[in-house]
Amino acid sequence: MLTGKVIVVGVTGGIAAYKAVELVSRLRKQQAEVQVIMSRGATNFVTPLTFREISGNPVVVDMWDEPKSWNVEHIALALRADGFVIAPATANLIGKLANGLADDSLSTTLMATTAPVLLAPAMNSNMYQNPIVQQNIAKLTALGYRFLQPDCGMLACGVEGPGRLPEPERIVDAVIELLCPQLPLAGKKILVTAGGTREAIDPVRYIGNRSSGKMGYALAAAAASFGAEVVLVSGPVALDDPAGVRVIRVESAQEMMAAVLEEFPGSDITIKAAAVADYRPQTAAQHKIKKQAEQLTLVLEKNPDILAELGQRKQAGQLLIGFAAETQELLTHARGKLERKRLDMIVANDVSLPGAGFNSDTNIVKLLYANGHQEDLPQMDKQSLAIELLKRIIKLAEK
Ligand code: CTP
């Protein structure tokens, strides 16, 4: 499937660098032209000679080396490449890319390319789970870079956890998906909501919640990569707009309702991942409320249930997916919401579990379908979960 494609394999300095040798060999068996760029650190694990023999091409390491031929000079590679795969990708390379640093051949070439880039991180579990690394991954994902989730297991450093480079076969599959993308959602319009809402108390205060928006943003990005036209109605979040997605920013539940109702009629699939405030202050004070009495009572009134309203308006052929965040009796509450709001599927998560729900980078969910079927998914990062959810939604859409 990769016949004639120019694939640049970037190898950085991790113990898993040896697996990149098999990766290069497998890519060549798929008839790809493979060019290898190594970081200086990677050469401590595998010699450039090995990659030269396996790839059949000169290997680029040092930016200041005299190029072997002008055509393989690193900027030329940035232009010629159909795609990049970085395996293993160290925390250092990910950090440099996320911050626009270009201080060696690999990072310079990556900065200069417009080709799709797949990164396969491999490192110690604590490093991988470090919020700095996770933030860098989230930032790059929002910018359109693809990541392959590392495997869990015993790492070279003796620690058990996520951080192992996936087997080369899986990386090749991901490269094929990157370069020969399936666009199962081409021609479909998908409406996604994300983040929490803010309900004004006065000009400086609001009632909010802990939603980060990460799940909804990951879903919007994944739907766009599957070829859909995506509209994302987002509450205030600290995330960059996903590439190729139209973003409508709102604050309150009422603003979200107005935007969603406007976009809903032409949407084939609507996914409501937002954490909408159920209540809002009855009146938002015009001026800042001053500190006076010992107690202050806020009277709250009910917000509209956007999803329930969509359930009422849903036409044949429109799919409606909701989320249920619960801290107890997960399945009973989620099934109740699925039925009450006339949904096709609900993504239920117990937000009291570690590694699930609000503000976490991972999620653990159970899927409940309108036909009574239930499916439990393992803990996974929100990008991977978004893809798994969309695969199931695509199946529902085909029925
Ligand atoms: N939802 C909505 N509008 C609201 C409240 C919720 O559209 N005013 C949507 C959410 O986006 C989510 C689903 O309904 O997809 C379930 O939200 P959740 O907060 O779990 O449930 P509620 O219906 O608010 O019920 P409760 O607060 O009793 O758990």
Side-chain angles (χ1 to χ4, degrees), residues 197-199 251-258 276-278 280 303-304 306:
T197 59
R198 289 181 180 177
E199 309 299 324
E251 263 203 35
S252 65
Q254 285 175 303
E255 284 171 23
M256 183 170 279
M257 172 104 167
V276 186
D278 289 330
R280 64 173 180 272
N303 265 330
I306 308 170

Side-chain angles (χ1 to χ4, degrees), residues 272-274 276-278 303-307 322-326 337 341:
K272 283 230 66 218
V276 186
D278 289 330
N303 265 330
D305 188 318
I306 308 170
L307 192 53
F323 274 71
E326 310 290 348
K337 286 175 194 180
K341 304 190 190 197

Side-chain angles (χ1 to χ4, degrees), residues 57-108:
N57 283 311
V59 171
V60 180
V61 180
D62 202 319
M63 212 167 25
W64 313 112
D65 280 350
E66 193 59 27
K68 314 276 177 301
S69 98
W70 188 246
N71 281 341
V72 295
E73 197 261 345
H74 51 271
I75 295 297
L77 277 183
L79 300 178
R80 282 193 62 229
D82 291 301
F84 279 71
V85 51
I86 316 302
T90 54
N92 183 49
L93 186 274
I94 294 168
K96 285 200 291 192
L97 194 55
N99 290 286
L101 299 180
D103 66 347
D104 64 0
S105 296
L106 182 57
S107 50
T108 309

Side-chain angles (χ1 to χ4, degrees), residues 373-391:
H373 187 61
Q374 182 193 322
E375 194 183 355
D376 296 5
L377 297 185
Q379 177 171 2
M380 59 183 104
D381 65 59
K382 289 183 176 176
Q383 280 75 29
S384 306
L385 177 58
I387 289 172
E388 290 307 313
L389 291 179
L390 280 171
K391 283 183 183 164

